[in-house]
Amino acid sequence: MNMPYDSLYLFIDGEWISAEGRATAAVINPATEAEIGRVPLATKGDLDRALEVARDSFDTWRRTVPDQRAKILKRAADLILERAQHIASQMTMEEGKPLGESLDEVTRAAEYFEWFAESARRIDGRVVPANRPGVLQMVKRQPIGPVAAFTPWNFPAITPARKLSAALAAGCSVILKPGEESPSTALALARALDDAGLPKGVLQVVFGVPDQVSSQLIASPIIRKVTFTGSVPIGRLLSARAAEGVKPITLELGGHGPVLVFEDADVEKAAVEGVANRFRGTGQVCISSTRFLIQRGVYQQFVDHFVAATKALRIGDGLHPHTQVGPLANPRQLAKMEELVADAVAKGARVLTGGARLSGQGFFFEPSVLADVPMNARVMHEEPFGPIAILMPFDALADGLKEANRLPYGLSAYAFTSSARTAIDVADGLEAGMIGINQYRIVATELPFGGMKESGHGSEGGIEGIEHYLTNKFISQI
């Protein structure tokens, strides 16, 4: 399917800046391996300008009444929905996911702008009774300041939307640095906000060499808040940089989602829906299920359903209407899948289906199911972030929880049981920021999104999402 691809820009001070005179990076369609565009990389001067503009615009935006901020965010949401088909098509060309998944993501991104538009009107403080007569004591909630936001390539609409909608609703200016592999979606969000009347300079979108951009932005005294979604190692690095300036940072990092399936569960549902959850986005989803821990009495039954459903998946270009699993986003991901499977097999694991790259064009890797994976295999410790599922039996609840909590990750976890007692115990015992019981769908605009342990801290979405962009000011007046 041959579709036009939009030109790519930087967006600074309300100006769309082309690649002329700047280094660029290729944007590759992972289904065809063809270059479809080139994204301009910000220079040091571009970043200096973005910082200055973010500083100057913050004073204006923070004083804009919440009702006006809300109207702009709502209008942006409407524009995103009007343009959803085009935005989704561009996303699929860049990132590879099936068009239906891209369209759903764009729709949900618009929902975040709608949600936080209302939140802008609900930022309030409190009056605290004084212990002395004639004293007025107030606590005000104010925007924290200019924000540096870093987002990855795998969810190029919803991840920036979570950060932008909350920060802008709070009254902060933002410099957004999205992933260079899938740049058009963030630019589409910026265009919607620009067209909705967001004042010039309140939002900047820059691309560049990640280490250079992050070091320059975070080191600047202008930036007062950092938010990052991505890998654990990069999260550690950015945390250290933020700490040097005593700047708060919100982190949503990797996971290795366990699923506990008990003998009294609806085993077929847990397996079939588990396949859909695991291989959505070609497994490049931080909250997806990875390790399926099945109570021994129903282990083989689960395996049979899971493998059959995996084999039935249709693989192909995400733009094709029947595709269920697209390509991996880049050749680095493809090489990692080959390494993880080879390592597991060499150490004794069995491949129940898949396990290899598909021949021909594109970064396609078969949806793969591994069993009998030994504990010294890399895939038991590293987040696969690709189409690999691990199946393993357990006996008692305590054994299942021990394996589920073994890793330093704590983003998402799931459990299937018909016992209310087991559901309560497992929900209490799982060490994860988001838990699904008898379901895999755990994300919604009104709910907090975030993890614990090395999967990060702080939440996005829900009433919690705006808190990280506000600061307290106590005023005592006579």
Side-chain angles (χ1 to χ4, degrees):
M1 187 180 295
N2 187 19
M3 301 180 66
Y5 182 74
D6 292 347
S7 298
L8 301 171
Y9 303 91
L10 305 176
F11 182 59
I12 301 174
D13 198 14
E15 179 184 353
W16 298 95
I17 301 170
S18 72
E20 185 177 354
R22 292 170 176 81
T24 61
V27 179
I28 304 297
N29 182 332
T32 65
E33 301 185 47
E35 181 179 312
I36 55 176
R38 297 198 72 86
V39 61
L41 306 182
T43 64
K44 183 180 183 302
D46 290 328
L47 297 178
D48 285 338
R49 182 183 173 202
L51 286 163
E52 291 167 3
V53 170
R55 176 197 60 206
D56 296 343
S57 65
F58 171 64
D59 192 57
T60 301
W61 184 240
R62 69 184 288 267
R63 298 179 191 281
T64 302
V65 295
D67 184 66
Q68 182 60 23
R69 295 203 297 262
K71 286 177 180 177
I72 291 170
L73 293 178
K74 282 190 171 181
R75 176 58 181 150
D78 291 340
L79 291 173
I80 292 167
L81 291 175
E82 288 175 16
R83 302 165 183 177
Q85 191 68 46
H86 178 71
I87 297 171
S89 297
Q90 302 275 300
M91 185 193 304
T92 291
M93 291 173 67
E94 293 176 334
E95 200 269 347
K97 67 181 64 175
L99 185 57
E101 291 184 18
S102 295
L103 192 58
D104 177 67
E105 182 182 343
V106 175
T107 301
R108 290 192 292 133
E111 290 175 359
Y112 277 98
F113 285 98
E114 291 175 349
W115 170 268
F116 283 107
E118 294 300 326
S119 297
R121 294 189 173 101
R122 297 189 175 97
I123 300 169
D124 52 23
R126 58 196 172 105
V127 175
V128 182
N131 58 9
R132 293 177 293 149
V135 176
L136 175 64
Q137 297 182 153
M138 297 178 292
V139 179
K140 294 184 67 175
R141 303 286 282 149
Q142 295 189 170
I144 195 169
V147 174
F150 303 90
T151 60
W153 46 261
N154 62 322
F155 279 92
I158 201 167
T159 310
R162 284 194 190 106
K163 300 179 189 301
L164 292 178
S165 57
L168 295 173
C172 297
S173 57
V174 184
I175 302 176
L176 173 66
K177 192 271 180 204
E180 284 71 28
E181 289 94 337
S182 51
S184 72
T185 308
L187 292 173
L189 300 183
R191 193 172 292 279
L193 286 161
D194 189 38
D195 292 345
L198 187 71
K200 227 171 66 164
V202 174
L203 171 63
Q204 337 295 323
V205 181
V206 299
F207 302 95
V209 178
D211 185 61
Q212 294 175 8
V213 175
S214 65
S215 61
Q216 185 171 347
L217 293 185
I218 297 174
S220 170
I222 292 170
I223 295 299
R224 294 311 314 153
K225 162 72 183 178
V226 181
T227 176
F228 170 75
T229 298
S231 70
V232 173
I234 302 302
R236 288 195 188 101
L237 175 65
L238 298 195
S239 290
R241 288 177 176 170
E244 289 178 6
V246 198
K247 300 175 183 182
I249 182 169
T250 299
L251 296 171
E252 191 266 289
L253 308 177
H256 206 307
V259 183
L260 289 166
V261 181
F262 292 88
E263 290 174 346
D264 58 5
D266 183 336
V267 175
E268 183 175 3
K269 174 187 175 183
V272 173
E273 293 183 5
V275 168
N277 179 264
R278 177 63 203 129
F279 299 115
R280 180 172 68 97
T282 320
Q284 300 165 126
V285 180
C286 56
I287 64 167
S288 69
S289 45
T290 303
R291 290 170 292 147
F292 291 84
L293 315 176
I294 307 104
Q295 205 159 23
R296 199 172 299 276
V298 292
Y299 177 72
Q300 193 56 51
Q301 181 185 348
F302 183 94
V303 169
D304 293 343
H305 286 303
F306 196 95
V307 172
T310 301
K311 288 180 176 178
L313 292 171
R314 295 186 292 270
I315 308 166
D317 189 324
L319 292 174
H320 296 162
H322 300 299
T323 293
Q324 295 172 291
V325 179
L328 289 156
N330 54 60
R332 301 188 308 277
Q333 294 297 107
L334 189 60
K336 182 179 179 183
M337 296 309 105
E338 292 179 313
E339 291 169 6
L340 289 177
V341 171
D343 173 76
V345 170
K347 291 171 180 173
R350 289 187 298 130
V351 178
L352 302 184
T353 186
R357 174 179 182 167
L358 293 180
S359 61
Q361 206 169 41
F363 308 136
F364 292 97
F365 194 85
E366 296 174 313
S368 306
V369 183
L370 304 180
D372 302 331
V373 184
M375 280 297 173
N376 64 341
R378 285 175 53 194
V379 75
M380 294 300 293
H381 305 271
E382 300 177 25
E383 180 182 21
F385 215 64
I388 298 174
I390 302 161
L391 309 186
M392 54 192 302
F394 73 92
D395 293 304
L397 185 149
D399 301 322
L401 282 176
K402 182 178 180 181
E403 170 56 27
N405 295 333
R406 173 179 56 85
L407 296 175
Y409 304 109
L411 188 58
S412 63
Y414 308 85
F416 287 78
T417 177
S418 61
S419 165
R421 179 72 264 164
T422 301
I424 291 170
D425 290 343
V426 77
D428 182 64
L430 284 169
E431 297 172 355
M434 297 175 284
I435 297 172
I437 304 294
N438 294 322
Q439 63 165 331
Y440 291 98
R441 194 174 181 95
I442 57 173
V443 179
T445 52
E446 66 272 17
L447 299 174
F449 186 99
M452 59 176 63
K453 302 195 308 189
E454 289 190 14
S455 288
H457 51 76
S459 296
E460 298 179 317
I463 60 174
E464 295 84 0
I466 202 167
E467 291 297 314
H468 306 290
Y469 301 100
L470 298 169
T471 189
N472 293 321
K473 179 182 284 185
F474 166 59
I475 303 166
S476 182
Q477 177 180 334
I478 297 178

